[in-house]
DNA sequence: CTGTTAGCGCTTTCAC
DNA sequence: GTGAAAGCGCTAACAG
């Protein structure tokens, strides 16, 4: 049996109120302070946060709902989110949706029953109904990385469309005319980047035939199979835009296997810089996200909501990106 | 205010006991069942796990203490651990030690105060004193991936020493005599793999001069700088063993930069297969860990302890590994 | 500054 | 099968 506040009370002869006050940083006579601290050490006392949370109705815990904990992107974002929360005195309760909407919906209820003070969501679903239990429970919610199509929540993300649009200039300005795309149509980010791609092409007066538009999910398989299809085309593209890290990985994998060279055979433009891409020859042009800023802003916004400091309508924050230059694009 | 069991009571006219029984899967008259379910739906009722945990003294939550949530290794392991726990009806409370022993020690106390039923630890520290608060609180503990030097806890990991020893045959059997090592001396796994390396060399009758032994941490920087030093040597090694994923990454990065070719200039043997290594030319020989098995066994063992089914002395489970073949080793 | 007391939302005897 | 009541460990008035 772990020690409770009552054990401390008996050991010190003080009242529960005094001990509670000490635990919560209130003023206590120096001599009593010493007594309490001695008792705590001796009994290995550790506050029972369940009991505390039950009465205060606060857990100092933020729920983090991630689409997949396996993704390196998730790991990086969790690191920054966690650090920002820790600095503010909050812990995080991470739940993994395993890229599955069913699990995601269940996880929302789980977080509610754990009485988290707020929720940061990197969603799987593109519609927002799965969040309504949390909304009903009046738990502040901030979306991170991905927005939702129907309901409006606070959201911190990059400007996917504009980032893609701008990055596409690298290919277009070097006279590429036949440019293909491999993008997710399931994830919000993939769809937005696809749109940015199409806009850039349209504004450049370039056609994108149907077989240059490969849609799938943000997975290695999509990149791998997509690039395979493109390479098999009689009229191959000279450049390819890939909408995220896993797709880029898969696409390069299949180019390597097929013996296609970049940029000699095909020029590449990717998304999500990861350090190991520097290993590759050639280095791929990549759109790089400001990971720390994403985490910081999400936490800042959420805490603002939790404290009632921010009280306006839902806010959408779209951060800018940076293009990591490489030598994967040939000038035609 | 979220609905409570009392609201359900008033709505249905039943007693708290009956409703509680229903919530916990007990037998209730069909008509009452219907009433309760209707009330739950109408009121958006969700059990308060704080209150429940307070009385049952169980949270159905396992604390996971990870050395760094940013590492791709961690992401993969968390995925498998999480899945195994979910199947058994447990949630996980992940805390990130950020590779910092201070934070790690604080996190243990945090998990205790959150009343987790058990803890899985991927430790930063190599000594085990930071875990004694949990031990005092009688919370079952299972180490994962890394063992500790002083105290004995249940541990699930690979056989680092033997895996390395066996993998080294690839270099040795191809007549490499001048083999260097870049390994962590901070992490348990790095030290064990270093020992396996040295044993293999000794048993093959090969010397390892001091400047062939690069020690550091499991970081890209260690790999990068380490390989740089090796390349600058007047008497360069023909083969290099690297003790984990980050080191392998860093080492290859610096080889690429310096224009050194593998396997022509230097043959490579690494640790921790990750999919994107397949992108690289040449493909590196890598020792691959059984990630799913690691997670499954750790969860199995922990739950055994929590239920008191397993009740022996600490168990150390050392799983085998698989060598992912490549073409990064030249025959001399 | 300290003590007394009520109660957070739930489970769990124990009668009925 | 159901209900009444006690209590998990803590905080928050309030009185002193």
């Amino acid at each position: 049996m772990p020690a409770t506040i009552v054990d401390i009370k008996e050991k010190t002869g003080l009242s529960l109120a005094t001990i509670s006050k000490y635990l919560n940083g209130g003023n206590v006579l120096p001599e009593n302070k010493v007594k309490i601290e001695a008792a705590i050490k001796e009994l290995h006392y550790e506050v029972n946060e369940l009991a505390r949370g039950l009465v205060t109705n606060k857990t100092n815990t933020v729920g983090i709902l991630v689409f997949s904990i396996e993704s390196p992107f998730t790991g990086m974002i969790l690191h920054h989110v966690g650090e920002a929360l820790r600095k503010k005195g909050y812990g995080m309760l991470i739940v993994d949706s395993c890229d599955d909407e069913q699990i995601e919906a269940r996880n929302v209820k789980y977080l509610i029953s754990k009485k988290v003070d707020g929720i940061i969501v990197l969603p799987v679903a593109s519609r927002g109904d799965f969040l309504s239990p949390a909304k009903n429970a009046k738990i502040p919610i901030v979306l991170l990385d991905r927005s939702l199509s129907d309901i409006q929540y606070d959201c911190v993300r990059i400007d996917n469309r504009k980032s893609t649009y701008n990055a596409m200039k690298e290919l277009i300005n070097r006279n590429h005319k036949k440019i293909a795309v491999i993008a997710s149509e399931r994830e919000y980010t993939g769809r937005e980047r696809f749109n940015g791609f199409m806009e850039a092409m349209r504004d450049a007066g370039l056609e994108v035939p149907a077989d240059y538009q490969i849609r799938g999910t943000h997975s290695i398989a999509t990149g791998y199979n997509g690039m395979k299809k493109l390479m098999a085309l009689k009229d191959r593209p000279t450049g390819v835009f890939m909408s995220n890290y896993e797709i880029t990985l898969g696409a390069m994998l299949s180019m390597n296997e097929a013996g296609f060279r970049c940029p000699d055979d095909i020029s590449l433009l990717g998304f999500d810089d990861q350090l190991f891409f520097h290993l590759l020859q050639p280095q791929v042009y990549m759109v790089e996200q400001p990971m720390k800023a994403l985490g910081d802003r999400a936490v800042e916004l959420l805490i603002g909501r939790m404290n009632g400091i921010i009280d306006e309508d839902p806010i959408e924050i779209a951060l800018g990106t940076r293009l990591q230059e490489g030598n994967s694009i040939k000038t035609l």
Side-chain angles (χ1 to χ4, degrees), chain A residues 267-292:
Chain A
S267 293
L268 295 178
L269 173 63
F271 223 101
D272 293 345
D273 182 64
Q274 299 273 350
L275 200 42
F276 53 78
F277 274 117
H278 296 285
L279 285 177
L280 303 172
Q281 264 327 317
Q283 272 179 233
V284 183
Y285 272 86
M286 300 283 273
V287 180
E288 195 182 321
Q289 306 199 38
M291 306 300 276
K292 177 166 161 44

Side-chain angles (χ1 to χ4, degrees), chain A residues 69-295:
Chain A
I69 201 164
E70 213 178 5
S71 144
F73 176 82
T74 303
M76 298 179 72
I77 210 83
L78 283 176
H79 171 73
H80 291 116
V81 168
E83 197 146 75
L85 285 173
R86 192 156 39 76
K87 281 182 188 152
K88 295 289 186 178
Y90 286 90
M92 56 180 177
L93 177 52
I94 303 165
V95 282
D96 180 10
S97 304
C98 301
D99 267 323
D100 179 328
E101 298 192 21
Q102 311 264 312
I103 298 179
E104 181 172 58
R106 221 174 304 139
N107 281 344
V108 172
K109 298 189 176 176
Y110 177 77
L111 291 179
I112 296 172
S113 68
K114 288 291 189 178
K115 297 289 163 189
V116 294
D117 299 333
I119 301 182
I120 291 177
V121 191
L122 290 83
V124 175
S126 47
R127 303 193 71 253
D129 21 335
F130 74 99
L131 283 173
S132 41
K135 196 178 184 183
N136 286 331
K138 303 252 184 298
I139 302 176
I141 296 170
V142 170
L143 304 178
L144 183 50
D145 179 51
R146 305 169 171 192
S147 188
L148 295 169
S149 60
D150 48 351
I151 311 177
Q152 176 95 355
Y153 285 102
D154 285 336
C155 180
V156 177
R157 54 174 178 80
I158 58 162
D159 192 329
N160 290 283
R161 205 183 278 236
K162 203 200 281 178
S163 297
T164 305
Y165 188 97
N166 289 337
M168 280 297 293
K169 291 184 183 149
E170 295 292 331
L171 281 168
I172 293 169
N173 290 345
R174 298 189 200 198
N175 296 319
H176 286 264
K177 309 287 179 203
K178 301 190 289 179
I179 309 178
V181 56
I182 312 177
S184 171
E185 60 182 347
R186 189 180 64 174
E187 282 89 359
Y188 165 83
T189 47
R191 290 193 302 269
E192 286 293 295
R193 291 167 196 171
F194 178 81
N195 292 337
F197 168 87
M198 293 303 272
E199 281 171 27
M201 291 297 278
R202 188 201 56 205
D203 289 0
L206 297 172
E207 295 281 312
V208 189
D211 52 8
Y212 276 22
Q213 300 177 31
I214 312 274
R215 310 297 296 270
T217 64
H218 273 167
S219 63
I220 293 179
T222 291
Y224 184 88
N225 296 325
M227 184 56 87
K228 218 165 190 170
K229 274 186 208 147
L230 293 175
M231 291 185 301
L233 252 34
K234 55 216 158 296
D235 188 24
R236 275 198 298 275
T238 62
V240 179
F241 167 70
M242 301 154 297
S243 77
N244 91 324
Y245 150 69
E246 273 93 357
I247 289 180
T248 306
L249 219 56
M252 296 187 71
L253 196 57
S254 86
M255 276 183 72
N256 272 2
E257 274 189 20
F260 271 63
R261 311 269 311 171
C262 166
D264 294 333
D265 301 317
I266 297 181
S267 293
L268 295 178
L269 173 63
F271 223 101
D272 293 345
D273 182 64
Q274 299 273 350
L275 200 42
F276 53 78
F277 274 117
H278 296 285
L279 285 177
L280 303 172
Q281 264 327 317
Q283 272 179 233
V284 183
Y285 272 86
M286 300 283 273
V287 180
E288 195 182 321
Q289 306 199 38
M291 306 300 276
K292 177 166 161 44
L294 284 169

